[in-house]
Amino acid sequence: MKRREFIIKAALTGAFIAVPKIYSSNKNNKNIKVGNSLRFPPELQAGESLIYKTVNMEVWPGTTTQVLALNNSYPGPTIRVKRGDNFSVLFENQHIIESTVHWHGLLVPELMDGQPKDAVLPGTSYTYSFPVTQRAGTYFYHSHAHHYTAEQVYKGHAGFFIIEDENESQLGLPSGEFDIPLLIQDRHSVYKPQFTYSPGNMDIMQGYLGDLPLINGTPEAYFEVQKTLYRFRILNGSNARVYKLALSDNSSFWVIGTDGGLKDEAVEVNNLFLSPGERVEILYDFSPFNLGESINLVSQSFSGPGSQGDQMNLLRFDVVGSGVSGGNIPQSLPAINYYDINSSKRIRTFTLTHTMTSGDGMHRINGLTYDLGRIDETIPFNELEEWKFVNDTSNLHPMHVHGVMFQVYARNGNTHLSPNDKGWKDTVLVNPNETVQVLVKFTDYSGIYLLHCHNLEHEDDGMMLNIKINQPTSVKEDNILPEKFELHQNYPNPFNPSTTIRYSIPVVEAKFESTTNVTLKVYDELGKEVSILVNEVKQPGNYEVIFNAFNLPSGVYYYKLKVGSFTKTRKMLLLK
Ligand SMILES: [Cu+2]
């Protein structure tokens, strides 16, 4: 059935959500639209701070809402960076309660991760600074304040963090005004126009589920589109609500990205589940529509506890012009190296429980509630592990891990994954009575990170663990032998296609013979050896070698120098 026929049929049978009228029925003023034009937060400019405080904003027309704004904006300013940049921002907490900025999905050093233990106290500030080394994609930031995450996010502390790179911009995807970030949140109509945060016991159990969707902070939002292909970067920034995203005529769209950037193929679907903390990137083509027609982005109903799973209209698209984005549905996307479960070194199981099983009304992981000062899991650096999330509850738990991008392996043993499960992930929805297996390898930073449920009521209720990533062996040996042999940062970095690596073998070192076997090898992001640059007995001295990566794909690479039994490793970035 063609789409047009489908709409007519749906309208006749009433079997589907009616296509809304663009214009109000007011006969004297036919050009007044129903709803509010989709808002876009400003972009954070280089050198600008993030100032966090309570302000009154017009969320619903003609009224004011007290929000926790960043730079007087709700949602917070959109941050847009290039892969390879060094990102730095001063966060000024002018709110009366402690806060943090957690960079969700970003691989950053422990002290830049904005964890509850690293609170920025009221009236103080903190500079977050880190290199942006990971894949282009749609990430975000939000408060991670101890016991106040849910309230602060609900009241406004969240925004987009978008990483771009040359690779992606060469793929011919819709860009500029056809590349649209959509933050989906839900608020309570009973408190309108305030963002009152007042969860009862049932809300702690199920999450603080609102009945009014806001898109980029816009209630009853509409967005005027051209008859062309668009890219939408959809972020579920709700405290607890899971959406079953679809178009109101059930037409199909293309999934091209997950939490950690582009997938390795575009996959056509009619709907998908998106849980709090998750992102998905889709392409949708408005060219079959006529000017003046509308279509809604909706959340279809599904069965869940409380109002979880209720049908919702999220955003109305009004087709108003015949502009052309020039974007295409890509025939091929860059490859993703999938982990092999047979290479997993060990299995860790995380069992999720709540009051029915633990008896005290707390949400728990492996029987534990969050303790800021306790280390719950110690995890070796750069070793592949299989993690099992076992949901022993009747609720939905989007499980999020800091400091890593992982891959989903199976749901209840089924390795046939939905398109938004397959790809790089930092958050995975674990449905009631489901076991989800994921493959995890920490390759970027050691230190303390978090594993928690991204239902923010559950998280504040204690459904969170501290995980400690051990230092890589080479760093330990660096500590034993400071300044004795050197592996310099490659130059240039990022590079394409070649770069120079310099190293030095110490002149006098009791632990070495006067000549020492030296190897210098390059590994890819997954730890696979891609090049041997040096493998010979060398005299003490200074050396340099050119690494040519003309036959390798863009990405993070590690180069490891081994002198005798000691190693040093550095990271470099190939950007093609
Ligand atoms: Cu949960």
Side-chain angles (χ1 to χ4, degrees):
M1 186 162 42
K2 287 195 179 103
R3 204 198 59 78
R4 283 285 300 152
E5 292 165 3
F6 184 90
I7 286 180
I8 293 162
K9 191 158 190 172
L12 288 173
T13 61
F16 294 90
I17 301 141
V19 177
K21 283 183 234 165
I22 297 183
Y23 301 109
S24 75
S25 56
N26 184 334
K27 283 174 191 158
N28 299 324
N29 201 350
K30 281 194 173 168
N31 291 324
I32 303 263
K33 284 204 173 199
V34 173
N36 305 297
S37 180
L38 182 68
R39 295 174 195 141
F40 293 97
E43 296 214 351
L44 189 78
Q45 302 301 305
E48 220 181 336
S49 300
L50 277 178
I51 297 167
Y52 179 53
K53 63 178 180 191
T54 299
V55 301
N56 287 312
M57 255 190 65
E58 190 174 305
V59 173
W60 283 272
T63 62
T64 57
T65 305
Q66 204 175 62
V67 304
L68 282 173
L70 290 149
N71 298 358
N72 296 314
S73 176
Y74 158 69
T78 295
I79 297 169
R80 203 176 282 274
V81 300
K82 292 254 182 312
R83 186 180 193 177
D85 281 357
N86 283 303
F87 174 74
S88 183
V89 71
L90 180 75
F91 174 64
E92 283 187 40
N93 184 4
Q94 298 182 7
H95 181 42
I96 53 169
I97 291 170
E98 68 182 47
S99 189
T100 73
V101 184
H102 167 56
W103 312 94
H104 183 123
L106 296 184
L107 305 174
V108 301
E110 176 190 332
L111 294 178
M112 298 298 142
D113 194 41
Q115 299 176 23
K117 69 183 177 63
D118 301 313
V120 182
L121 298 176
T124 70
S125 60
Y126 185 77
T127 299
Y128 292 97
S129 176
F130 48 84
V132 178
T133 56
Q134 66 199 86
R135 305 180 85 222
T138 305
Y139 305 90
F140 77 118
Y141 62 88
H142 61 79
S143 165
H144 218 309
H146 195 34
H147 293 311
Y148 288 99
T149 297
E151 178 167 5
Q152 294 188 10
V153 172
Y154 190 83
K155 290 185 173 175
H157 184 336
F160 278 99
F161 193 107
I162 293 170
I163 303 177
E164 300 174 328
D165 71 12
E166 292 298 320
N167 251 10
E168 215 190 80
S169 52
Q170 286 165 10
L171 291 172
L173 296 167
S175 62
E177 61 184 300
F178 303 100
D179 175 358
I180 306 295
L182 299 175
L183 164 64
I184 308 179
Q185 297 179 311
D186 55 334
R187 298 292 180 262
H188 289 64
S189 60
V190 63
Y191 299 119
K192 181 184 157 185
Q194 292 309 324
F195 288 172
T196 305
Y197 187 72
S198 167
N201 283 342
M202 211 44 147
D203 298 315
I204 304 291
M205 191 78 105
Q206 297 171 346
Y208 198 51
L209 297 164
D211 54 340
L212 293 179
L214 300 186
I215 311 300
N216 296 347
T218 321
E220 292 180 75
Y222 67 81
F223 180 54
E224 295 187 333
V225 295
Q226 306 292 316
K227 283 163 56 74
T228 190
L229 189 73
Y230 278 75
R231 174 184 188 172
F232 294 103
R233 302 167 181 263
I234 308 177
L235 157 61
N236 184 347
S238 306
N239 280 34
R241 185 170 289 285
V242 175
Y243 301 95
K244 187 182 178 187
L245 297 177
L247 278 304
S248 48
D249 65 354
N250 213 33
S251 55
S252 62
F253 53 93
W254 295 83
V255 183
I256 57 163
T258 57
D259 297 341
L262 291 179
K263 292 168 61 60
D264 50 352
E265 57 177 347
V267 182
E268 192 174 12
V269 299
N270 294 91
N271 60 65
L272 59 83
F273 285 94
L274 195 69
S275 65
E278 282 188 294
R279 288 86 66 207
V280 68
E281 297 193 23
I282 66 166
L283 299 178
Y284 187 70
D285 187 1
F286 294 97
S287 62
F289 289 85
N290 294 320
L291 295 181
E293 282 190 314
S294 294
I295 184 165
N296 276 350
L297 178 68
V298 302
S299 182
Q300 294 179 338
S301 69
F302 61 93
S303 72
S307 71
Q308 184 74 275
D310 282 3
Q311 193 277 333
M312 276 186 167
N313 278 333
L314 302 175
L315 171 64
R316 192 182 78 228
F317 297 109
D318 294 344
V319 182
V320 300
S322 301
V324 175
S325 66
N328 298 301
I329 294 160
Q331 296 303 302
S332 69
L333 288 167
I336 289 176
N337 291 316
Y338 290 102
Y339 293 133
D340 176 4
I341 195 166
N342 297 313
S343 305
S344 165
K345 290 272 171 62
R346 65 193 63 78
I347 297 174
R348 278 175 216 267
T349 302
F350 298 97
T351 303
L352 317 175
T353 56
H354 68 52
T355 188
M356 303 308 286
T357 43
S358 65
D360 60 0
M362 300 281 279
H363 291 89
R364 293 167 182 266
I365 305 174
N366 289 347
L368 299 167
T369 58
Y370 183 56
D371 180 336
L372 210 107
R374 187 190 64 217
I375 303 296
D376 299 303
E377 297 285 333
T378 303
I379 298 164
F381 188 82
N382 206 32
E383 287 190 7
L384 185 67
E385 299 195 345
E386 176 189 344
W387 290 11
K388 284 185 180 177
F389 297 116
V390 181
N391 187 347
D392 267 358
T393 79
S394 55
N395 223 310
L396 296 83
H397 302 290
M399 300 306 295
H400 172 49
V401 190
H402 291 212
V404 75
M405 278 286 162
F406 58 76
Q407 293 174 354
V408 180
Y409 177 70
R411 286 184 179 274
N412 279 348
N414 184 356
T415 56
H416 188 77
L417 300 172
S418 69
N420 56 322
D421 272 346
K422 196 176 174 207
W424 288 107
K425 298 289 293 173
D426 56 55
T427 306
V428 63
L429 176 61
V430 186
N431 290 296
N433 305 312
E434 194 172 48
T435 293
V436 175
Q437 288 161 274
V438 303
L439 295 168
V440 188
K441 180 155 78 170
F442 290 84
T443 55
D444 287 70
Y445 295 100
S446 52
I448 297 171
Y449 291 91
L450 294 168
L451 158 66
H452 66 87
C453 179
H454 219 281
N455 175 317
L456 300 183
E457 281 67 44
H458 295 178
E459 178 197 320
D460 278 349
D461 193 40
M463 203 170 200
M464 178 153 66
L465 299 181
N466 275 320
I467 56 178
K468 186 178 177 206
I469 317 309
N470 276 340
Q471 288 198 331
T473 314
S474 57
V475 172
K476 279 183 182 162
E477 288 176 357
D478 289 352
N479 292 341
I480 298 164
L481 266 184
E483 303 155 23
K484 290 302 181 186
F485 75 97
E486 283 184 44
L487 177 63
H488 299 277
Q489 188 64 52
N490 61 304
Y491 184 85
N493 186 46
F495 66 98
N496 178 26
S498 66
T499 187
T500 300
I501 298 169
R502 290 167 50 238
Y503 62 97
S504 55
I505 312 293
V507 176
V508 180
E509 173 51 64
K511 286 179 180 166
F512 296 142
E513 304 297 323
S514 58
T515 57
T516 306
N517 192 65
V518 175
T519 63
L520 179 59
K521 296 178 179 178
V522 180
Y523 300 84
D524 70 12
E525 223 167 353
L526 301 177
K528 191 177 137 222
E529 191 183 285
V530 295
S531 179
I532 300 174
L533 297 175
V534 178
N535 184 12
E536 58 193 275
V537 172
K538 284 211 176 272
Q539 301 287 335
N542 296 319
Y543 297 91
E544 67 176 37
V545 59
I546 292 170
F547 172 50
N548 194 329
F550 69 95
N551 59 345
L552 292 170
S554 287
V556 172
Y557 291 88
Y558 296 89
Y559 55 99
K560 184 171 180 178
L561 179 69
K562 191 165 185 224
V563 180
S565 63
F566 299 95
T567 60
K568 285 199 176 187
T569 304
R570 280 184 180 270
K571 187 172 174 176
M572 60 185 164
L573 183 61
L574 173 60
L575 278 183
K576 285 194 170 172

